[in-house]
Amino acid sequence: MPNLSLKPYVTKLSHVLLFSVTASLAACGGGEDDASNSKANDNQASAGQFKQSADTGIYYSTARSGMYISASSGWLNNDCVNTYRDRYYEADNVLVFGNPALPESDYRQAASWVESNFANALEAMQLTQADYFALRGQVRLSARAVLFEQLQQLRWHPQDSLGQLHYPGALEDTNSNAFGVAFSRWAETTANTASDDQVTAALLDTDYSEYSSADDIHIENKIYVCLHEGTDPSMSGEGVWEGINIAAPSVYKPHNVDTFITHELIHTVQMALGNNVFGLALPRWFTEGQAEYLAGGDTAKRSNNGEFDPQLVVNGMQQSLDMGEAYKHYALAYSYLDSSNGRANMVALIQKTKALPLNSFPYEDLSDREDPRFRQAFDELMLDMQGAPLSIDRWRDDYHSLMNDWH
């Protein structure tokens, strides 16, 4: 589905911050090939068991200020966030939530699909399972966003502290005109890089905490799956920070299950590598191109590159081509960079984008251009097929020439 959420809805913190967790998801419909290619077929139900959250303390969404919030918001997981959050099916690496009225086979089948393709997604991104869970951490992304908000308040209450986190006195020497931006950059960096224990202590060590316990802040080392009940193929799945949201198998089953699930799991890995309190700063052509190409989806022919300008599609609103055809061109665009730079450098591009503080850049309207963090990381790391530096502007302007010269 069109990933409207990849448009970064933020302003500079010297003005007003509008944080949207929806910037942290990547959504799509997945592959549409022959179902017979699937190795995770209906006869391979995953071994596991159903559990009640009241008994285990594990919920899909967590309570905060009387509301339920999830680790990251999606288009397709609202029911799991607000209603079906307290009963799940657990397998080795998966927790599956959904409407208890759905047949139990739906839960087992969804778990089997994820268990069968999780390793493929990790291998495609050159990560081990341990790497993935270490990168994601066990503190919910939404909790880090709350920490960022609270760290911002220390500017006006320097005598306070948040657990082991204190007012940065060293910034007092900063020029007064630059202090606001410097302080916001400190709060952003601290919220993104603090350890899980530091985040937990900070959010609980206040006179009034929005969280009642560490269980409200933590997430299990599992892939969280939400089963929705939609039947629109273009809205069948999405990858979010804590896992994937997919249609219940009895309601809608994608034609090529393995490609579809691997694609969504690659989005989830992208989140672990690149998401922070401002969401995912990657353009749509990159997220969908990487997921489609590495999942084994269809890739447009180089000779057909003139049919579309995938490199200009930063968010879903800019996608003018039919989704199926657009994804083929996203895959083609990504495949060029993957071939000229290597998989390890493509992963490094995501991580460098995440590491750059947004508050290091002047405010700009990000509605139709790449996030400045991605632009800087791209300019510093990417090469063309001849090994020459490849800037994001050259990539945008000379895309078709680069493709035509690719031999």
Side-chain angles (χ1 to χ4, degrees), residues 50-333:
F50 287 91
K51 297 183 178 180
Q52 298 294 329
S53 299
D55 298 329
T56 65
I58 299 173
Y59 294 84
Y60 184 85
S61 59
T62 186
R64 174 187 163 203
S65 298
M67 299 176 61
Y68 292 136
I69 58 172
S70 65
S72 59
S73 296
W75 298 100
L76 304 174
N77 64 346
N78 286 336
D79 285 341
C80 291
V81 172
N82 297 304
T83 307
Y84 309 131
R85 58 182 292 272
D86 54 6
R87 173 185 177 271
Y88 60 91
Y89 180 80
E90 181 173 12
D92 288 344
N93 298 298
V94 187
L95 302 175
V96 185
F97 292 80
N99 186 344
L102 290 168
E104 292 187 353
S105 59
D106 276 356
Y107 292 80
R108 295 189 176 94
Q109 185 63 73
S112 178
W113 288 347
V114 175
E115 294 282 1
S116 297
N117 290 286
F118 186 30
N120 295 337
L122 292 173
E123 182 179 4
M125 298 292 282
Q126 296 190 342
L127 294 175
T128 66
Q129 185 170 309
D131 290 336
Y132 166 75
F133 286 122
L135 283 165
R136 192 178 73 171
Q138 289 192 278
V139 165
R140 292 177 181 261
L141 185 61
S142 55
R144 289 187 180 271
V146 172
L147 175 61
F148 171 71
E149 297 167 1
Q150 295 192 359
L151 289 170
Q152 287 274 90
Q153 297 303 311
L154 292 181
R155 179 177 176 182
W156 292 276
H157 304 281
Q159 73 282 1
D160 294 342
S161 63
L162 295 169
Q164 301 172 0
L165 306 177
H166 308 281
Y167 178 87
L171 292 181
E172 293 289 356
D173 296 332
T174 305
N175 180 287
S176 59
N177 293 328
F179 178 80
V181 171
F183 193 94
S184 293
R185 185 163 56 242
W186 167 81
E188 176 188 351
T189 302
T190 302
N192 284 332
T193 61
S195 70
D196 289 352
D197 289 343
Q198 287 176 319
V199 175
T200 302
L203 293 179
L204 295 179
D205 185 27
T206 58
D207 292 336
Y208 170 72
S209 176
E210 297 177 279
Y211 298 98
S212 60
S213 71
D215 287 341
D216 292 336
I217 299 170
H218 292 172
I219 192 169
E220 300 297 306
N221 281 341
K222 302 272 189 174
I223 297 295
Y224 284 56
V225 178
C226 174
L227 299 180
H228 68 85
E229 296 170 69
T231 58
D232 183 348
S234 68
M235 296 280 288
S236 56
E238 63 187 350
V240 292
W241 180 83
E242 70 271 40
I244 65 175
N245 308 324
I246 61 173
S250 65
V251 175
Y252 173 80
K253 180 181 177 181
H255 292 308
N256 190 324
V257 172
D258 293 324
T259 299
F260 171 78
I261 296 295
T262 301
H263 180 120
E264 303 306 344
L265 286 170
I266 287 172
H267 282 321
T268 301
V269 177
Q270 290 169 344
M271 303 297 163
L273 287 165
N275 232 340
N276 58 32
V277 297
F278 286 115
L280 192 66
L282 306 176
R284 179 173 176 80
W285 66 262
F286 184 95
T287 57
E288 297 300 350
Q290 185 177 60
E292 190 70 1
Y293 180 71
L294 298 186
D298 291 338
T299 301
K301 295 180 179 179
R302 298 178 201 172
S303 59
N304 294 337
N305 74 82
E307 297 176 353
F308 189 50
D309 289 314
Q311 82 286 5
L312 302 181
V313 181
V314 176
N315 59 71
M317 295 297 290
Q318 298 172 319
Q319 182 175 293
S320 58
L321 196 65
D322 168 81
M323 187 178 73
E325 292 302 313
Y327 275 39
K328 295 177 184 178
H329 283 276
Y330 297 148
L332 176 63

